[in-house]
Amino acid sequence: MRTPSLVLVSLIFSLAALVLPSGAATAQTGYPIANAAPLTRSPLYTAGRLPGASCAERPVKAGSVVSVKSYLTPLVKCLDAAWTAQFARARLPFAKPRVTFITKPQRMCGSNWGKDVQAIYCNTDRRIVLMLDRDVVGDPGDLYLLDVLAHEYGHHVQNVAGMWRALDRLPSRNKAEFYEQTRRHELQAECLAGAFIGSVWPSLDRDAGDWKELLDADRRSGDESTGVRDHGKGRNIANWLNRGFKAASPSACNTWIAGSSMVA
Ligand SMILES: [Zn+2]
């Protein structure tokens, strides 16, 4: 969880205004991130494709929490194996997250469970919590659950790689900049989910229609539906998921150097 840190750098603002052509001073709509390693420059970006481990999905029975858990547990193991190997290649230390499944809202990470929240990642105790509510248990057969799990795992990757901490320390001049940074962080987690799914895709018994269905679900899930500008527009969420998927590598997931429209 981030809290806004509104740092006013009026001196830099006025200097920037001096060198801009007249009329352009108010044209700035984005907030570039310059030289904020490990956000902009992480060894993860240059460590190549994820290892492409074999990761078969077990059959899953709709309506059964036990079945959904035994469907997800081997997928957690696949994520552990893939990211352990990737961090080793990047010469970064890694530790697996804890993963907890719950079926009813409960207090987690020191907060009450939010309405319509499917999953969270607690960065302080490195734990993924997935809500197996009636909706997902009733219809667990598409790629949605795997995407949710891989996205939260993406946050764990950001945390262990030091990106989470770097984001917490990143100053923002106003709310718009704060939200843009939050979107870069969220869209990166979705891209990392895509990279993992792309890397194990040959071993999943899925077809192009399944993938298109997930992209469509992402398009429907954007900030347009929540009214809060913290995750990105649906088309951008789908775009970053697909970029990661096609590259099967975090190399596609440097949202920190992307133009503002890509992270809108
Ligand atoms: Zn997220």
Side-chain angles (χ1 to χ4, degrees):
M1 188 69 77
R2 288 179 73 208
T3 46
S5 59
L6 302 176
V7 177
L8 291 168
V9 279
S10 52
L11 179 67
I12 293 171
F13 260 147
S14 50
L15 286 175
L18 281 177
V19 296
L20 286 166
S22 63
T26 55
Q28 187 190 19
T29 53
Y31 300 94
I33 314 289
N35 297 324
L39 295 172
T40 49
R41 285 176 290 120
S42 166
L44 281 182
Y45 299 138
T46 48
R49 289 166 66 97
L50 281 157
S54 175
C55 186
E57 285 178 285
R58 282 188 193 169
V60 58
K61 207 168 104 200
S64 163
V65 172
V66 173
S67 175
V68 172
K69 278 187 193 171
S70 59
Y71 162 75
L72 288 170
T73 302
L75 298 178
V76 174
K77 296 258 183 316
C78 284
L79 281 154
D80 286 340
W83 287 111
T84 300
Q86 194 70 7
F87 273 67
R89 280 181 192 175
R91 298 177 188 277
L92 290 172
F94 185 71
K96 298 167 193 171
R98 288 197 287 162
V99 180
T100 305
F101 303 118
I102 61 172
T103 54
K104 287 191 190 77
Q106 55 182 274
R107 252 184 106 73
M108 282 288 167
C109 304
S111 319
N112 289 328
W113 194 266
K115 190 178 170 286
D116 297 330
V117 171
Q118 197 72 65
I120 56 169
Y121 176 69
C122 309
N123 66 312
T124 46
D125 60 353
R126 297 184 165 189
R127 193 211 305 233
I128 292 169
V129 187
L130 230 81
M131 165 67 84
L132 303 181
D133 57 20
R134 207 187 294 179
D135 283 351
V136 295
V137 172
D139 186 16
D142 56 27
L143 285 169
Y144 172 73
L145 262 179
L146 174 55
D147 180 39
V148 170
L149 176 64
H151 173 104
E152 298 308 329
Y153 211 108
H155 285 314
H156 177 67
V157 166
Q158 292 170 317
N159 193 21
V160 179
M163 294 155 136
W164 193 298
R165 195 177 154 94
L167 171 61
D168 268 341
R169 290 173 172 184
L170 203 59
S172 46
R173 284 162 289 191
N174 51 49
K175 263 196 163 163
E177 184 171 18
F178 172 80
Y179 277 118
E180 186 177 291
Q181 291 168 355
T182 305
R183 294 195 298 275
R184 289 182 193 276
H185 173 74
E186 284 298 336
L187 291 164
Q188 178 168 65
E190 190 65 6
C191 182
L192 295 172
F196 169 74
I197 298 172
S199 74
V200 297
W201 188 254
S203 66
L204 303 177
D205 189 17
R206 299 287 183 170
D207 60 27
D210 292 317
W211 184 247
K212 189 181 170 297
E213 206 175 288
L214 182 60
L215 290 175
D216 287 342
D218 259 12
R219 283 188 195 100
R220 291 190 301 270
S221 75
D223 293 344
E224 297 94 328
S225 63
T226 62
V228 185
R229 296 290 287 122
D230 58 354
H231 279 71
K233 290 182 179 171
R235 65 174 158 80
N236 282 332
I237 300 174
N239 184 43
W240 283 100
L241 175 68
N242 206 31
R243 276 173 66 98
F245 178 77
K246 284 196 286 193
S249 167
S251 63
C253 300
N254 193 345
T255 54
W256 299 98
I257 58 166
S260 283
S261 64
M262 283 187 74
V263 296

